[in-house]
Amino acid sequence: MLTQVGTETHCPYCALQCAMTVTAGSRSVRGDTGRHDDATIAGRDFPTNRGGLCRKGWSAADLLRHPDRLTAPLLRGPDGVLRESTWDTVLPLISRRVRSIQAEHGQDAVAVFGGGGLTNEKAYTLGKFARLALHTSRIDYNGRFCMSSAAAAGNRAFGVDRGLPFPLADLDDASVVLLLGSNAADTMPPFIQHLRGAQAAGGLIVVDPRRSATARLTGQGQGLHLQPTPGTDLALLLGLAHVVVAEGLEDRAFLASRTRGYGDVTREVARWWPERVQAVTGVPAPLIRATARLLARGARSGTAGGPGAYILTGRGIEQHADGTDTTTAAINLALLLGLPGTAGNGYGTLTGQGNGQGGREHGQKADQLPGYRRITDPVARAHVASVWGVPEDTIPGPGLPAVELLASLGRPDATRCLFVHGANVAVSAPDASAVIAGLESLDLLVVSDFFLSETAALADIVLPVLQWAEEEGTVTNLEGRVLRRRAAVTPPAGARSELWILQELARLLEAPSVFSEDPETMFDELARASAGGPADYSGLDYAVLDGGSPAYWPYPTGSTGTPRLFLDTFAHSDGRAVLVPVTPRADSAAARIPAPLLLATGRLLEHYQSGTQTRRVPELLAARPGPRLDLHPATAQGLGIGQGDPVLVTSTHGEAQATAHLTPDIRQDTVFLAFHFAGAGSANLLTGGPTDPVSGMPEFKTTPVRVTRLLARAQGDDQVQEVYA
């Protein structure tokens, strides 16, 4: 029997991008590596995961030969039914329909929605396709729902946005780590091994309204858990900064030599003494002081060459209408302590999606060109136009951020046609009912996916594409490290690479410039287009990446990359970081009446994003088969709700159904619902409303809701449960 040779690649899920080896054609019995129908997965030693994988990673190959896999284009007939068609039929049809819609409604009537899971090559080509083949400014992506507030805050403080501006392994030596709004123990379990040093030193600090799996890591003297009222993280951060300044704990030498804006920020934080912050957040004043002092002690240790301090943010503080300001407050605290850009200390944000970092760097955002360049910058436009070989005025200006783009669907003289790549907006977008109605009202909806997602099920044309283990390409992980994704298995005969699809549509639409199905060709062009930009990949090619040496951007030609940013200078023209004064918005307590509970949405250990993939893995679905509303037993008692009762959750945007899960690990004023489920249990039927004025981030974490016990339906419990699943 021939020995199967494995292919070294990376997990398709979160931005930790755990290394794995995929061996095709094996039908082994489940062991340490896991059994899959046509591929076997083994964890591979790598700095981020050190051989470990989470449940999603171990089971990722289950989807490669899943019976739901799309293997031929689908075309909706006059009777409204999607049926299999051919590539020779659907691609010319798309071209004709695009031309017709733009002739009637204008070029911006056609829009594109991308995803943070696309490879760098696909994200880059999609942005180029939108602007040169479709001639539209209307392109944005689902990272607007994930990283946009962190990116905006990082750009205005540091002049550049890279999730972690240092290698993840640097955390191993920390004595203090403050995690704000991240449940990494569930969302990226292998990450937790990098917190063991802080735990051993009693310095793991977790801020979360829930006693999550990550918060429980602070038990037994291993750290502190701060449990604020949802939506009050900004006030809490101002209180921590107040203690740092009031007690003289700041790093004055660092502030004087490497920052500006100190005076404006200290005037604001002076108003947020711990007792006032306690009244707003519910976090005891002594705990606020203890946290600030612990951080300062770690910062001094790191500056002196010992175990240092790190502040890390996640979606819990970013997915708010004031998410940019809240993240800015975290950065201000880090700057006051002298953490960013110093050996042994640091600040960073934990990127969520698999290519959430690279996906926002190379042109699928409404306001950006490749290399993280601003689309309004004449120098950037001229450079990218020269690489593309087109006049500068061929490139449209900025488009609409995701929430505005989706709100424009189907409206007269607005978006009449939408291309969707790597996203499932019918489940993942806020105010999902309105989004679904918009999708249904389009003249043409074209969705590229490998399963019939809830969004694809609404499409006029569905294009079957390749999965992660069937394609070559690159991704950029949460450290800003560029990684090679390699093809390990043969794709179904009818599926096509998105690069091939974009190449063929560009040809039919007579687009200028190069569109190639070869990922290496598009990566080489991406590298040239990024040259001189904040996210400079110009010194990279597949040969460099295949060589195995770490490749952190910026990686300009002639360099060996930049594992640690800001050691000498920040990216602003004067080389200094900027402390930006921020303040909480006007008190919104009145808005919670008559809905006294605040809904937070988030992820589970077993599932990922909209659940299109993980809900099709039997063992993951069996572990969490449907939506479960976490609420405190005291809250439930007051509402007459028992463990396992069906409940109805209602907001001003809609209603969702779930099963009650009573747990003391959540505040009495808070309920939690995961966003992985569709149909009646979709959490985003409840969310919506204001967006962050800087980042365009919607409010996902503090939706006022009512919760009531759902009375038994006449059709019986079995059918109700089917809706939940």
Side-chain angles (χ1 to χ4, degrees), residues 378-402:
V379 175
R381 293 174 61 85
H383 172 78
V384 173
S386 69
V387 173
W388 288 352
V390 300
E392 181 187 328
D393 60 6
T394 303
I395 302 174
L400 299 176

mmCIF file with all atom_site columns, all heavy atoms in Angstrom, residues 378-402:
data_model
loop_
_atom_site.group_PDB
_atom_site.id
_atom_site.type_symbol
_atom_site.label_atom_id
_atom_site.label_alt_id
_atom_site.label_comp_id
_atom_site.label_asym_id
_atom_site.label_entity_id
_atom_site.label_seq_id
_atom_site.pdbx_PDB_ins_code
_atom_site.Cartn_x
_atom_site.Cartn_y
_atom_site.Cartn_z
_atom_site.occupancy
_atom_site.B_iso_or_equiv
_atom_site.pdbx_formal_charge
_atom_site.auth_seq_id
_atom_site.auth_comp_id
_atom_site.auth_asym_id
_atom_site.auth_atom_id
_atom_site.pdbx_PDB_model_num
ATOM 1   N N   . PRO A 1 378 ? -4.632  60.862 -4.052  1.00 0.00 ? 378 PRO A N   1
ATOM 2   C CA  . PRO A 1 378 ? -4.220  60.918 -5.464  1.00 0.00 ? 378 PRO A CA  1
ATOM 3   C C   . PRO A 1 378 ? -2.967  60.107 -5.752  1.00 0.00 ? 378 PRO A C   1
ATOM 4   O O   . PRO A 1 378 ? -2.853  59.489 -6.821  1.00 0.00 ? 378 PRO A O   1
ATOM 5   C CB  . PRO A 1 378 ? -3.988  62.414 -5.699  1.00 0.00 ? 378 PRO A CB  1
ATOM 6   C CG  . PRO A 1 378 ? -4.788  63.107 -4.652  1.00 0.00 ? 378 PRO A CG  1
ATOM 7   C CD  . PRO A 1 378 ? -4.757  62.211 -3.461  1.00 0.00 ? 378 PRO A CD  1
ATOM 8   N N   . VAL A 1 379 ? -2.010  60.101 -4.824  1.00 0.00 ? 379 VAL A N   1
ATOM 9   C CA  . VAL A 1 379 ? -0.776  59.336 -5.031  1.00 0.00 ? 379 VAL A CA  1
ATOM 10  C C   . VAL A 1 379 ? -1.086  57.841 -5.072  1.00 0.00 ? 379 VAL A C   1
ATOM 11  O O   . VAL A 1 379 ? -0.557  57.104 -5.920  1.00 0.00 ? 379 VAL A O   1
ATOM 12  C CB  . VAL A 1 379 ? 0.251   59.654 -3.925  1.00 0.00 ? 379 VAL A CB  1
ATOM 13  C CG1 . VAL A 1 379 ? 1.487   58.770 -4.066  1.00 0.00 ? 379 VAL A CG1 1
ATOM 14  C CG2 . VAL A 1 379 ? 0.652   61.128 -3.981  1.00 0.00 ? 379 VAL A CG2 1
ATOM 15  N N   . ALA A 1 380 ? -1.946  57.394 -4.165  1.00 0.00 ? 380 ALA A N   1
ATOM 16  C CA  . ALA A 1 380 ? -2.329  55.984 -4.135  1.00 0.00 ? 380 ALA A CA  1
ATOM 17  C C   . ALA A 1 380 ? -3.066  55.593 -5.412  1.00 0.00 ? 380 ALA A C   1
ATOM 18  O O   . ALA A 1 380 ? -2.808  54.536 -6.003  1.00 0.00 ? 380 ALA A O   1
ATOM 19  C CB  . ALA A 1 380 ? -3.199  55.703 -2.915  1.00 0.00 ? 380 ALA A CB  1
ATOM 20  N N   . ARG A 1 381 ? -3.972  56.439 -5.848  1.00 0.00 ? 381 ARG A N   1
ATOM 21  C CA  . ARG A 1 381 ? -4.736  56.151 -7.060  1.00 0.00 ? 381 ARG A CA  1
ATOM 22  C C   . ARG A 1 381 ? -3.814  56.063 -8.275  1.00 0.00 ? 381 ARG A C   1
ATOM 23  O O   . ARG A 1 381 ? -3.962  55.162 -9.116  1.00 0.00 ? 381 ARG A O   1
ATOM 24  C CB  . ARG A 1 381 ? -5.806  57.220 -7.275  1.00 0.00 ? 381 ARG A CB  1
ATOM 25  C CG  . ARG A 1 381 ? -6.908  57.216 -6.215  1.00 0.00 ? 381 ARG A CG  1
ATOM 26  C CD  . ARG A 1 381 ? -7.864  58.394 -6.399  1.00 0.00 ? 381 ARG A CD  1
ATOM 27  N NE  . ARG A 1 381 ? -8.530  58.332 -7.689  1.00 0.00 ? 381 ARG A NE  1
ATOM 28  C CZ  . ARG A 1 381 ? -9.623  57.638 -7.938  1.00 0.00 ? 381 ARG A CZ  1
ATOM 29  N NH1 . ARG A 1 381 ? -10.187 56.914 -6.973  1.00 0.00 ? 381 ARG A NH1 1
ATOM 30  N NH2 . ARG A 1 381 ? -10.164 57.641 -9.138  1.00 0.00 ? 381 ARG A NH2 1
ATOM 31  N N   . ALA A 1 382 ? -2.865  56.985 -8.348  1.00 0.00 ? 382 ALA A N   1
ATOM 32  C CA  . ALA A 1 382 ? -1.947  56.988 -9.485  1.00 0.00 ? 382 ALA A CA  1
ATOM 33  C C   . ALA A 1 382 ? -1.093  55.721 -9.490  1.00 0.00 ? 382 ALA A C   1
ATOM 34  O O   . ALA A 1 382 ? -0.845  55.126 -10.549 1.00 0.00 ? 382 ALA A O   1
ATOM 35  C CB  . ALA A 1 382 ? -1.066  58.231 -9.447  1.00 0.00 ? 382 ALA A CB  1
ATOM 36  N N   . HIS A 1 383 ? -0.630  55.305 -8.307  1.00 0.00 ? 383 HIS A N   1
ATOM 37  C CA  . HIS A 1 383 ? 0.211   54.113 -8.238  1.00 0.00 ? 383 HIS A CA  1
ATOM 38  C C   . HIS A 1 383 ? -0.567  52.872 -8.667  1.00 0.00 ? 383 HIS A C   1
ATOM 39  O O   . HIS A 1 383 ? -0.078  52.083 -9.498  1.00 0.00 ? 383 HIS A O   1
ATOM 40  C CB  . HIS A 1 383 ? 0.747   53.912 -6.824  1.00 0.00 ? 383 HIS A CB  1
ATOM 41  C CG  . HIS A 1 383 ? 1.468   52.608 -6.647  1.00 0.00 ? 383 HIS A CG  1
ATOM 42  N ND1 . HIS A 1 383 ? 2.750   52.408 -7.087  1.00 0.00 ? 383 HIS A ND1 1
ATOM 43  C CD2 . HIS A 1 383 ? 1.062   51.418 -6.113  1.00 0.00 ? 383 HIS A CD2 1
ATOM 44  C CE1 . HIS A 1 383 ? 3.120   51.157 -6.832  1.00 0.00 ? 383 HIS A CE1 1
ATOM 45  N NE2 . HIS A 1 383 ? 2.114   50.545 -6.239  1.00 0.00 ? 383 HIS A NE2 1
ATOM 46  N N   . VAL A 1 384 ? -1.759  52.678 -8.104  1.00 0.00 ? 384 VAL A N   1
ATOM 47  C CA  . VAL A 1 384 ? -2.533  51.482 -8.427  1.00 0.00 ? 384 VAL A CA  1
ATOM 48  C C   . VAL A 1 384 ? -2.951  51.505 -9.897  1.00 0.00 ? 384 VAL A C   1
ATOM 49  O O   . VAL A 1 384 ? -2.915  50.466 -10.583 1.00 0.00 ? 384 VAL A O   1
ATOM 50  C CB  . VAL A 1 384 ? -3.753  51.360 -7.498  1.00 0.00 ? 384 VAL A CB  1
ATOM 51  C CG1 . VAL A 1 384 ? -4.662  50.215 -7.929  1.00 0.00 ? 384 VAL A CG1 1
ATOM 52  C CG2 . VAL A 1 384 ? -3.299  51.150 -6.053  1.00 0.00 ? 384 VAL A CG2 1
ATOM 53  N N   . ALA A 1 385 ? -3.312  52.675 -10.408 1.00 0.00 ? 385 ALA A N   1
ATOM 54  C CA  . ALA A 1 385 ? -3.677  52.777 -11.828 1.00 0.00 ? 385 ALA A CA  1
ATOM 55  C C   . ALA A 1 385 ? -2.514  52.375 -12.728 1.00 0.00 ? 385 ALA A C   1
ATOM 56  O O   . ALA A 1 385 ? -2.704  51.715 -13.756 1.00 0.00 ? 385 ALA A O   1
ATOM 57  C CB  . ALA A 1 385 ? -4.132  54.198 -12.148 1.00 0.00 ? 385 ALA A CB  1
ATOM 58  N N   . SER A 1 386 ? -1.295  52.736 -12.339 1.00 0.00 ? 386 SER A N   1
ATOM 59  C CA  . SER A 1 386 ? -0.131  52.373 -13.149 1.00 0.00 ? 386 SER A CA  1
ATOM 60  C C   . SER A 1 386 ? 0.095   50.860 -13.142 1.00 0.00 ? 386 SER A C   1
ATOM 61  O O   . SER A 1 386 ? 0.475   50.277 -14.164 1.00 0.00 ? 386 SER A O   1
ATOM 62  C CB  . SER A 1 386 ? 1.114   53.098 -12.641 1.00 0.00 ? 386 SER A CB  1
ATOM 63  O OG  . SER A 1 386 ? 1.529   52.611 -11.371 1.00 0.00 ? 386 SER A OG  1
ATOM 64  N N   . VAL A 1 387 ? -0.133  50.209 -11.994 1.00 0.00 ? 387 VAL A N   1
ATOM 65  C CA  . VAL A 1 387 ? 0.006   48.751 -11.931 1.00 0.00 ? 387 VAL A CA  1
ATOM 66  C C   . VAL A 1 387 ? -1.085  48.083 -12.763 1.00 0.00 ? 387 VAL A C   1
ATOM 67  O O   . VAL A 1 387 ? -0.838  47.084 -13.459 1.00 0.00 ? 387 VAL A O   1
ATOM 68  C CB  . VAL A 1 387 ? -0.043  48.270 -10.471 1.00 0.00 ? 387 VAL A CB  1
ATOM 69  C CG1 . VAL A 1 387 ? -0.066  46.747 -10.388 1.00 0.00 ? 387 VAL A CG1 1
ATOM 70  C CG2 . VAL A 1 387 ? 1.148   48.820 -9.689  1.00 0.00 ? 387 VAL A CG2 1
ATOM 71  N N   . TRP A 1 388 ? -2.286  48.624 -12.729 1.00 0.00 ? 388 TRP A N   1
ATOM 72  C CA  . TRP A 1 388 ? -3.397  48.048 -13.478 1.00 0.00 ? 388 TRP A CA  1
ATOM 73  C C   . TRP A 1 388 ? -3.343  48.413 -14.961 1.00 0.00 ? 388 TRP A C   1
ATOM 74  O O   . TRP A 1 388 ? -4.054  47.812 -15.771 1.00 0.00 ? 388 TRP A O   1
ATOM 75  C CB  . TRP A 1 388 ? -4.730  48.502 -12.889 1.00 0.00 ? 388 TRP A CB  1
ATOM 76  C CG  . TRP A 1 388 ? -5.027  47.870 -11.558 1.00 0.00 ? 388 TRP A CG  1
ATOM 77  C CD1 . TRP A 1 388 ? -4.334  46.865 -10.946 1.00 0.00 ? 388 TRP A CD1 1
ATOM 78  C CD2 . TRP A 1 388 ? -6.111  48.197 -10.674 1.00 0.00 ? 388 TRP A CD2 1
ATOM 79  N NE1 . TRP A 1 388 ? -4.902  46.545 -9.739  1.00 0.00 ? 388 TRP A NE1 1
ATOM 80  C CE2 . TRP A 1 388 ? -5.995  47.346 -9.539  1.00 0.00 ? 388 TRP A CE2 1
ATOM 81  C CE3 . TRP A 1 388 ? -7.142  49.126 -10.713 1.00 0.00 ? 388 TRP A CE3 1
ATOM 82  C CZ2 . TRP A 1 388 ? -6.892  47.397 -8.475  1.00 0.00 ? 388 TRP A CZ2 1
ATOM 83  C CZ3 . TRP A 1 388 ? -8.040  49.179 -9.658  1.00 0.00 ? 388 TRP A CZ3 1
ATOM 84  C CH2 . TRP A 1 388 ? -7.912  48.319 -8.547  1.00 0.00 ? 388 TRP A CH2 1
ATOM 85  N N   . GLY A 1 389 ? -2.536  49.414 -15.305 1.00 0.00 ? 389 GLY A N   1
ATOM 86  C CA  . GLY A 1 389 ? -2.429  49.823 -16.695 1.00 0.00 ? 389 GLY A CA  1
ATOM 87  C C   . GLY A 1 389 ? -3.651  50.537 -17.208 1.00 0.00 ? 389 GLY A C   1
ATOM 88  O O   . GLY A 1 389 ? -4.049  50.377 -18.372 1.00 0.00 ? 389 GLY A O   1
ATOM 89  N N   . VAL A 1 390 ? -4.270  51.356 -16.344 1.00 0.00 ? 390 VAL A N   1
ATOM 90  C CA  . VAL A 1 390 ? -5.470  52.107 -16.728 1.00 0.00 ? 390 VAL A CA  1
ATOM 91  C C   . VAL A 1 390 ? -5.293  53.571 -16.330 1.00 0.00 ? 390 VAL A C   1
ATOM 92  O O   . VAL A 1 390 ? -4.491  53.888 -15.448 1.00 0.00 ? 390 VAL A O   1
ATOM 93  C CB  . VAL A 1 390 ? -6.731  51.533 -16.035 1.00 0.00 ? 390 VAL A CB  1
ATOM 94  C CG1 . VAL A 1 390 ? -6.950  50.078 -16.432 1.00 0.00 ? 390 VAL A CG1 1
ATOM 95  C CG2 . VAL A 1 390 ? -6.637  51.679 -14.522 1.00 0.00 ? 390 VAL A CG2 1
ATOM 96  N N   . PRO A 1 391 ? -6.021  54.496 -16.972 1.00 0.00 ? 391 PRO A N   1
ATOM 97  C CA  . PRO A 1 391 ? -6.007  55.890 -16.515 1.00 0.00 ? 391 PRO A CA  1
ATOM 98  C C   . PRO A 1 391 ? -6.545  55.985 -15.085 1.00 0.00 ? 391 PRO A C   1
ATOM 99  O O   . PRO A 1 391 ? -7.444  55.234 -14.697 1.00 0.00 ? 391 PRO A O   1
ATOM 100 C CB  . PRO A 1 391 ? -6.937  56.599 -17.503 1.00 0.00 ? 391 PRO A CB  1
ATOM 101 C CG  . PRO A 1 391 ? -7.000  55.698 -18.693 1.00 0.00 ? 391 PRO A CG  1
ATOM 102 C CD  . PRO A 1 391 ? -6.857  54.308 -18.171 1.00 0.00 ? 391 PRO A CD  1
ATOM 103 N N   . GLU A 1 392 ? -6.001  56.918 -14.321 1.00 0.00 ? 392 GLU A N   1
ATOM 104 C CA  . GLU A 1 392 ? -6.407  57.040 -12.919 1.00 0.00 ? 392 GLU A CA  1
ATOM 105 C C   . GLU A 1 392 ? -7.903  57.285 -12.772 1.00 0.00 ? 392 GLU A C   1
ATOM 106 O O   . GLU A 1 392 ? -8.543  56.769 -11.851 1.00 0.00 ? 392 GLU A O   1
ATOM 107 C CB  . GLU A 1 392 ? -5.625  58.165 -12.252 1.00 0.00 ? 392 GLU A CB  1
ATOM 108 C CG  . GLU A 1 392 ? -5.958  58.369 -10.786 1.00 0.00 ? 392 GLU A CG  1
ATOM 109 C CD  . GLU A 1 392 ? -5.278  59.609 -10.215 1.00 0.00 ? 392 GLU A CD  1
ATOM 110 O OE1 . GLU A 1 392 ? -4.163  59.932 -10.673 1.00 0.00 ? 392 GLU A OE1 1
ATOM 111 O OE2 . GLU A 1 392 ? -5.870  60.248 -9.331  1.00 0.00 ? 392 GLU A OE2 1
ATOM 112 N N   . ASP A 1 393 ? -8.491  58.067 -13.677 1.00 0.00 ? 393 ASP A N   1
ATOM 113 C CA  . ASP A 1 393 ? -9.911  58.384 -13.533 1.00 0.00 ? 393 ASP A CA  1
ATOM 114 C C   . ASP A 1 393 ? -10.817 57.201 -13.863 1.00 0.00 ? 393 ASP A C   1
ATOM 115 O O   . ASP A 1 393 ? -12.033 57.267 -13.701 1.00 0.00 ? 393 ASP A O   1
ATOM 116 C CB  . ASP A 1 393 ? -10.283 59.600 -14.378 1.00 0.00 ? 393 ASP A CB  1
ATOM 117 C CG  . ASP A 1 393 ? -10.016 59.405 -15.869 1.00 0.00 ? 393 ASP A CG  1
ATOM 118 O OD1 . ASP A 1 393 ? -9.651  58.282 -16.275 1.00 0.00 ? 393 ASP A OD1 1
ATOM 119 O OD2 . ASP A 1 393 ? -10.157 60.382 -16.630 1.00 0.00 ? 393 ASP A OD2 1
ATOM 120 N N   . THR A 1 394 ? -10.228 56.086 -14.284 1.00 0.00 ? 394 THR A N   1
ATOM 121 C CA  . THR A 1 394 ? -11.006 54.864 -14.482 1.00 0.00 ? 394 THR A CA  1
ATOM 122 C C   . THR A 1 394 ? -11.437 54.271 -13.150 1.00 0.00 ? 394 THR A C   1
ATOM 123 O O   . THR A 1 394 ? -12.474 53.597 -13.062 1.00 0.00 ? 394 THR A O   1
ATOM 124 C CB  . THR A 1 394 ? -10.169 53.824 -15.253 1.00 0.00 ? 394 THR A CB  1
ATOM 125 O OG1 . THR A 1 394 ? -9.739  54.388 -16.482 1.00 0.00 ? 394 THR A OG1 1
ATOM 126 C CG2 . THR A 1 394 ? -10.958 52.553 -15.521 1.00 0.00 ? 394 THR A CG2 1
ATOM 127 N N   . ILE A 1 395 ? -10.647 54.502 -12.114 1.00 0.00 ? 395 ILE A N   1
ATOM 128 C CA  . ILE A 1 395 ? -10.936 53.935 -10.794 1.00 0.00 ? 395 ILE A CA  1
ATOM 129 C C   . ILE A 1 395 ? -12.004 54.784 -10.101 1.00 0.00 ? 395 ILE A C   1
ATOM 130 O O   . ILE A 1 395 ? -11.791 55.983 -9.878  1.00 0.00 ? 395 ILE A O   1
ATOM 131 C CB  . ILE A 1 395 ? -9.663  53.884 -9.934  1.00 0.00 ? 395 ILE A CB  1
ATOM 132 C CG1 . ILE A 1 395 ? -8.573  53.065 -10.635 1.00 0.00 ? 395 ILE A CG1 1
ATOM 133 C CG2 . ILE A 1 395 ? -9.967  53.294 -8.566  1.00 0.00 ? 395 ILE A CG2 1
ATOM 134 C CD1 . ILE A 1 395 ? -7.239  53.075 -9.916  1.00 0.00 ? 395 ILE A CD1 1
ATOM 135 N N   . PRO A 1 396 ? -13.143 54.214 -9.752  1.00 0.00 ? 396 PRO A N   1
ATOM 136 C CA  . PRO A 1 396 ? -14.179 54.999 -9.058  1.00 0.00 ? 396 PRO A CA  1
ATOM 137 C C   . PRO A 1 396 ? -13.698 55.475 -7.695  1.00 0.00 ? 396 PRO A C   1
ATOM 138 O O   . PRO A 1 396 ? -12.682 55.010 -7.165  1.00 0.00 ? 396 PRO A O   1
ATOM 139 C CB  . PRO A 1 396 ? -15.334 54.006 -8.920  1.00 0.00 ? 396 PRO A CB  1
ATOM 140 C CG  . PRO A 1 396 ? -15.059 52.921 -9.912  1.00 0.00 ? 396 PRO A CG  1
ATOM 141 C CD  . PRO A 1 396 ? -13.568 52.836 -10.010 1.00 0.00 ? 396 PRO A CD  1
ATOM 142 N N   . GLY A 1 397 ? -14.458 56.377 -7.106  1.00 0.00 ? 397 GLY A N   1
ATOM 143 C CA  . GLY A 1 397 ? -14.153 56.871 -5.773  1.00 0.00 ? 397 GLY A CA  1
ATOM 144 C C   . GLY A 1 397 ? -14.711 55.954 -4.699  1.00 0.00 ? 397 GLY A C   1
ATOM 145 O O   . GLY A 1 397 ? -15.090 54.809 -4.967  1.00 0.00 ? 397 GLY A O   1
ATOM 146 N N   . PRO A 1 398 ? -14.771 56.441 -3.458  1.00 0.00 ? 398 PRO A N   1
ATOM 147 C CA  . PRO A 1 398 ? -15.261 55.591 -2.353  1.00 0.00 ? 398 PRO A CA  1
ATOM 148 C C   . PRO A 1 398 ? -16.728 55.226 -2.519  1.00 0.00 ? 398 PRO A C   1
ATOM 149 O O   . PRO A 1 398 ? -17.529 56.005 -3.044  1.00 0.00 ? 398 PRO A O   1
ATOM 150 C CB  . PRO A 1 398 ? -15.028 56.467 -1.120  1.00 0.00 ? 398 PRO A CB  1
ATOM 151 C CG  . PRO A 1 398 ? -14.943 57.870 -1.637  1.00 0.00 ? 398 PRO A CG  1
ATOM 152 C CD  . PRO A 1 398 ? -14.360 57.775 -3.001  1.00 0.00 ? 398 PRO A CD  1
ATOM 153 N N   . GLY A 1 399 ? -17.056 54.038 -2.024  1.00 0.00 ? 399 GLY A N   1
ATOM 154 C CA  . GLY A 1 399 ? -18.432 53.573 -2.070  1.00 0.00 ? 399 GLY A CA  1
ATOM 155 C C   . GLY A 1 399 ? -19.107 53.678 -0.724  1.00 0.00 ? 399 GLY A C   1
ATOM 156 O O   . GLY A 1 399 ? -18.803 54.571 0.080   1.00 0.00 ? 399 GLY A O   1
ATOM 157 N N   . LEU A 1 400 ? -20.022 52.742 -0.456  1.00 0.00 ? 400 LEU A N   1
ATOM 158 C CA  . LEU A 1 400 ? -20.795 52.757 0.781   1.00 0.00 ? 400 LEU A CA  1
ATOM 159 C C   . LEU A 1 400 ? -20.317 51.659 1.720   1.00 0.00 ? 400 LEU A C   1
ATOM 160 O O   . LEU A 1 400 ? -20.083 50.534 1.281   1.00 0.00 ? 400 LEU A O   1
ATOM 161 C CB  . LEU A 1 400 ? -22.282 52.526 0.474   1.00 0.00 ? 400 LEU A CB  1
ATOM 162 C CG  . LEU A 1 400 ? -22.989 53.535 -0.417  1.00 0.00 ? 400 LEU A CG  1
ATOM 163 C CD1 . LEU A 1 400 ? -24.419 53.074 -0.688  1.00 0.00 ? 400 LEU A CD1 1
ATOM 164 C CD2 . LEU A 1 400 ? -22.988 54.915 0.230   1.00 0.00 ? 400 LEU A CD2 1
ATOM 165 N N   . PRO A 1 401 ? -20.177 51.943 3.023   1.00 0.00 ? 401 PRO A N   1
ATOM 166 C CA  . PRO A 1 401 ? -19.875 50.867 3.976   1.00 0.00 ? 401 PRO A CA  1
ATOM 167 C C   . PRO A 1 401 ? -21.023 49.875 4.035   1.00 0.00 ? 401 PRO A C   1
ATOM 168 O O   . PRO A 1 401 ? -22.156 50.172 3.631   1.00 0.00 ? 401 PRO A O   1
ATOM 169 C CB  . PRO A 1 401 ? -19.681 51.607 5.300   1.00 0.00 ? 401 PRO A CB  1
ATOM 170 C CG  . PRO A 1 401 ? -20.394 52.904 5.130   1.00 0.00 ? 401 PRO A CG  1
ATOM 171 C CD  . PRO A 1 401 ? -20.309 53.253 3.679   1.00 0.00 ? 401 PRO A CD  1
ATOM 172 N N   . ALA A 1 402 ? -20.739 48.695 4.564   1.00 0.00 ? 402 ALA A N   1
ATOM 173 C CA  . ALA A 1 402 ? -21.624 47.541 4.417   1.00 0.00 ? 402 ALA A CA  1
ATOM 174 C C   . ALA A 1 402 ? -23.074 47.796 4.817   1.00 0.00 ? 402 ALA A C   1
ATOM 175 O O   . ALA A 1 402 ? -23.998 47.420 4.084   1.00 0.00 ? 402 ALA A O   1
ATOM 176 C CB  . ALA A 1 402 ? -21.062 46.375 5.224   1.00 0.00 ? 402 ALA A CB  1
#
